[in-house]
Amino acid sequence: MTQTKKVSGGHLPGRTDENARSAIDEKSLRILSNQFPNVSTTATEIINLQSILSLPKATEHFLSDIHGEYEQFAHVLKNGSGAVKRKIDEEFGNLLSEREKKELASLIYYPEERMRLICESGENMDDWYVVMINRLINVCKNAASKYTRSKVRKALPPDFAYVIEELITGRRDISNQEAYYNEIIDTVIRIGKAPELIIALSEVISRFIIDHLHIVGDLYDRGPGPHICMDILMKYHSVDIQWGNHDVVWMGAATGHLACIATVLRFSARYGNLDILEDGYGINLLPLFKFALETYRDDPCECFSLHYREGEYDLTNAMTDRKMHKAISVIQFKLEGRLIQDHPEFGMEDRLLLDKMDLEKGTITIDGVEYRLLDTNFPTIDPRDPYALSDKEKKLIEQLRRAFIKCDKLQEHVQFLYRNGSLYKTYNNNLLYHGCVPLDEDGSFREVELYGQKYKGKALYDALEQYLRKGYYAIDPAEKKKGMDLLWYTWISRNSPVFGKDKMATFERYFLEDKKLHEEPKNPYYKWINNNDTIDMILTEFGLDIKESRIINGHIPVESRKGESPVKCGGRLIIIDGGFSKAYQPKTGIAGYTLTYNSYGFLLAAHEPFKSVEYAVETGSDIHSDTILVQHVKKRKTVADTDIGKSIKENIRDLEALLDAYRTGLIVERA
């Protein structure tokens, strides 16, 4: 599709009176005429754009709370949450057996691995290539049918663009073309290019089946490969990201914010994932290793057990990692305490706990109640100034700060998050955000103060996002520091839309036995999301039509095991965090929800855990998914019904104004 520059004004087709012309910015029309210099080119573009509006709406794919589970993430992207299988069923129906359909789907997901397995089986490869290339062409042709030929051509890999275009646009049922068609395939096989063509076709199918990807927050923490997930996303053809709280704290760490750096390190240590930082990002953790062994040499660090996964963690590192875990946790509590003291406007004084400890008695007093501490060995804490870093801690955290700032790969990933991300997004009548819109108990928008100004609802999101961007990009040191501190605040504050809880009870979970103190009460938002008036209020606040729009939410794992439904308020709000992270699967009972939205409506799928790529290739198996929600639209959606369609309609109006200017002589045509 040609991208037409939008200009102001426009009119109804056929109007040529002076009032219509005078309402149009002549300067803008002259600029547009540089792209379309005469009646012919302008009329052709109008025809092109008008016809695009009638094409079916492309498929969107929604994922949330990936938490570093890169293998399952990669597989769900490859299978389009079942969209590939549906396309195969649509194309072949009963012409292929279920086994053949599985094998074809597996080939599309993992072409190289599948071909290697077939080759090892001793099958005649030339015959197999003929069959599979023809099947892939049929699926590819079906998947590409909802796009213009121009868009299809642009999406084809350069090495095989000509071949694939000929194969998917040719008419094999016409005798004049059958020999030509077959000769292309035969020649590809004869010259040894069949494997590359199969890989190219598989990638093109995946590209056409899912047109746009939405990540509704939390790519980082817990799982072993967030950096791999980021590498995958950076190669994806079309994606947007709504920042989650775990993304924001990594973004803060990339700015060099000390409390964010400590938090990222603590999470990585807690889940046995320090190799993400060392091997994935090349950040030197030797200073932390030496400091932890020296400071906590004889400390068993029993309160700092690791949440590692069986078979995926080297237990010989456990004791060392526990010491590193404790060392960075104490530093985190100190750094956070200083921030809270420096920013009384954050309203987080209740999280100042180090000064409430009595290490001689081994107790802490919270809200007038004394509790026994499970750990009292804090050699770096000065009771007179418990939030002060020791000299060695200062040196350590400064070394770590420099390492994070100078890490090119981390900076590249975070810049991608900033370029393609935001705190919320409105897209095709859907409102996407990770956590919540903070509410008070009565269901009204909560008013939050940020640096002397009060915000609520959409204004809170907008103000926070502006500061978060300043935290990374601002030149002015004072503005940059404000933004950096708000990156940490957004990660952890009760008033943050991406956190959505009354507190983060990290300290209590480490050091206090009373389970009631471990609770993290949710924002009242979660009590109100089944209320139609609340959904109307939120959608209206973000400028959306309450009859047509819905909210897509992540962040809070839906406890499917207990019968909880991700579908709230009759389908007007859908929570798609269902345990993509293995750490949550015992709680949720599934391995995540994903949502697709095509021209016929919404499909919400619940997935079982992904075993491995090897298992999928060898058995032709897929993630077992149950479609638990199907919402069909009354009328099949077309491009005209989308945000892109609105833009195209505006471009058509501008082009019609230009056409009118040519025909009335206001602007002179050029050859």
Side-chain angles (χ1 to χ4, degrees), residues 114-334:
R114 187 70 187 167
M115 283 189 287
R116 190 181 306 121
L117 189 68
I118 296 298
C119 187
E120 291 171 356
S121 71
E123 188 165 338
N124 184 305
M125 291 306 295
D126 285 357
D127 292 345
W128 185 85
Y129 285 144
V130 170
V131 171
M132 289 304 167
I133 288 173
N134 277 288
R135 289 176 181 175
L136 289 171
I137 290 166
N138 287 343
V139 177
C140 189
K141 186 183 296 186
N142 188 315
S145 63
K146 63 168 63 176
Y147 304 112
T148 64
R149 183 171 290 191
S150 172
K151 182 167 182 174
V152 170
R153 187 178 296 118
K154 291 174 183 176
L156 298 179
D159 290 349
F160 286 98
Y162 165 76
V163 171
I164 294 176
E165 184 173 2
E166 290 296 302
L167 291 174
I168 65 177
T169 58
R171 291 288 305 277
R172 212 175 168 179
D173 56 333
I174 298 176
S175 59
N176 290 339
Q177 290 197 13
E178 184 177 6
Y180 169 72
Y181 188 99
N182 291 335
E183 190 62 37
I184 292 175
I185 297 175
D186 291 343
T187 303
V188 165
I189 295 170
R190 180 173 58 81
I191 66 175
K193 285 293 184 178
E196 289 95 329
L197 178 58
I198 285 175
I199 292 169
L201 281 167
S202 298
E203 291 175 350
V204 168
I205 289 168
S206 297
R207 163 67 181 84
F208 289 151
I209 284 179
I210 298 297
D211 187 63
H212 187 76
L213 174 66
H214 304 282
I215 303 294
V216 194
D218 277 358
L219 286 151
Y220 280 91
D221 290 330
R222 294 192 174 90
H227 55 298
I228 301 174
C229 294
M230 289 301 301
D231 285 340
I232 293 170
L233 284 180
M234 289 182 71
K235 297 175 184 176
Y236 204 79
H237 54 270
S238 182
V239 61
D240 61 63
I241 302 163
Q242 291 70 62
W243 303 325
N245 53 323
H246 289 271
D247 304 319
V248 166
V249 75
W250 277 77
M251 291 158 64
T255 70
H257 193 273
L258 300 183
C260 291
I261 288 171
T263 302
V264 163
L265 284 162
R266 181 183 65 80
F267 251 97
S268 297
R270 182 176 179 83
Y271 285 90
N273 284 329
L274 287 170
D275 57 333
I276 292 171
L277 293 161
E278 289 188 298
D279 301 333
Y281 283 114
I283 292 175
N284 182 14
L285 297 184
L286 185 59
L288 176 59
F289 171 81
K290 290 180 176 178
F291 173 83
L293 288 187
E294 178 185 332
T295 306
Y296 300 100
R297 177 181 292 109
D298 300 320
D299 189 338
C301 301
E302 293 178 354
C303 292
F304 294 86
S305 58
L306 309 179
H307 293 234
Y308 59 84
R309 299 196 293 208
E310 296 291 341
E312 299 181 26
Y313 177 75
D314 186 353
L315 289 172
T316 60
N317 297 327
M319 184 51 69
T320 302
D321 284 356
R322 282 165 67 163
K323 294 181 189 301
M324 294 170 73
H325 184 189
K326 181 172 183 177
I328 201 63
S329 297
V330 172
I331 291 173
Q332 177 190 320
F333 296 139
K334 289 183 176 185

Side-chain angles (χ1 to χ4, degrees), residues 526-539:
Y526 294 98
K527 299 177 183 177
W528 287 94
I529 55 177
N530 273 309
N531 182 283
N532 271 306
D533 290 339
T534 300
I535 302 301
D536 287 350
M537 177 181 74
I538 293 173
L539 291 173

Side-chain angles (χ1 to χ4, degrees), residues 100-117:
E100 289 173 317
K101 290 178 186 177
K102 277 186 175 182
E103 289 175 352
L104 181 57
S106 178
L107 179 64
I108 293 170
Y109 307 154
Y110 304 106
E112 293 179 77
E113 294 85 349
R114 187 70 187 167
M115 283 189 287
R116 190 181 306 121
L117 189 68

Side-chain angles (χ1 to χ4, degrees), residues 584-628:
Y584 286 131
Q585 289 171 13
K587 181 178 181 180
T588 63
I590 60 170
Y593 295 108
T594 58
L595 185 70
T596 53
Y597 177 29
N598 58 28
S599 59
Y600 294 105
F602 288 86
L603 289 91
L604 180 67
H607 303 287
E608 290 185 356
F610 179 64
K611 292 185 178 180
S612 69
V613 172
E614 293 77 13
Y615 182 81
V617 172
E618 289 175 6
T619 64
S621 70
D622 202 347
I623 295 179
H624 177 72
S625 306
D626 293 319
T627 302
I628 61 172

